[in-house]
Amino acid sequence: MKKISSSNLIFLLIIGLGLTYYLYLKGYIFSDFQNLDPKSAYSLIEKEKDNVFILDVRTPQEYKEGHIPDSNLIPLDSLPNQIDKIPRDKKIIVYCRSGMRSASASRFLSSLGYDVYNIAGGINAWKKERLPVER
């Protein structure tokens, strides 16, 4: 049996840690919120229109370029200071451009006890599915 060299072992460890960190950032591991694909998110929004709060955590400029109808803009860096604008009695559907910022926001909100759903892939994935966007 061939031995693994220490440099190969370190390389594998770094790759493993990098992958784990990426999965953590995207909210796929160690998260207290649910990731939804865009079509499932759209279904939830349509089914429970009065029971959801759609949260866009992108910048104001990104929001102007197109957003999910009825979404509320609170940029990620402003979220802790505007937490009072988010209702506790509704399901919170969070999105950004690609899913990284919304995973961070979802992790933060779920730590405060909110019922959170993150749109995997963000508005990019939403648009790819040809779901409604308004300007």
Side-chain angles (χ1 to χ4, degrees), residues 44-69:
L44 180 62
I45 292 166
E46 288 299 301
K47 247 192 297 186
E48 300 193 40
K49 215 167 199 48
D50 295 331
N51 193 37
V52 297
F53 181 86
I54 307 166
L55 176 61
D56 185 332
V57 295
R58 298 176 302 153
T59 65
Q61 181 59 39
E62 288 174 302
Y63 186 82
K64 287 178 193 170
E65 292 169 5
H67 54 272
I68 295 173

Side-chain angles (χ1 to χ4, degrees), residues 46-95:
E46 288 299 301
K47 247 192 297 186
E48 300 193 40
K49 215 167 199 48
D50 295 331
N51 193 37
V52 297
F53 181 86
I54 307 166
L55 176 61
D56 185 332
V57 295
R58 298 176 302 153
T59 65
Q61 181 59 39
E62 288 174 302
Y63 186 82
K64 287 178 193 170
E65 292 169 5
H67 54 272
I68 295 173
D70 300 319
S71 62
N72 300 272
L73 175 66
I74 303 177
L76 180 60
D77 59 352
S78 303
L79 189 57
N81 298 329
Q82 296 188 47
I83 199 72
D84 57 320
K85 292 182 178 178
I86 301 172
R88 289 200 167 269
D89 61 340
K90 294 187 177 191
K91 294 177 179 178
I92 312 302
I93 299 175
V94 187
Y95 75 97

Side-chain angles (χ1 to χ4, degrees), residues 29-41:
I29 59 173
F30 310 123
S31 61
D32 289 335
F33 58 88
Q34 187 174 345
N35 279 300
L36 296 176
D37 64 85
K39 285 185 178 180
S40 297

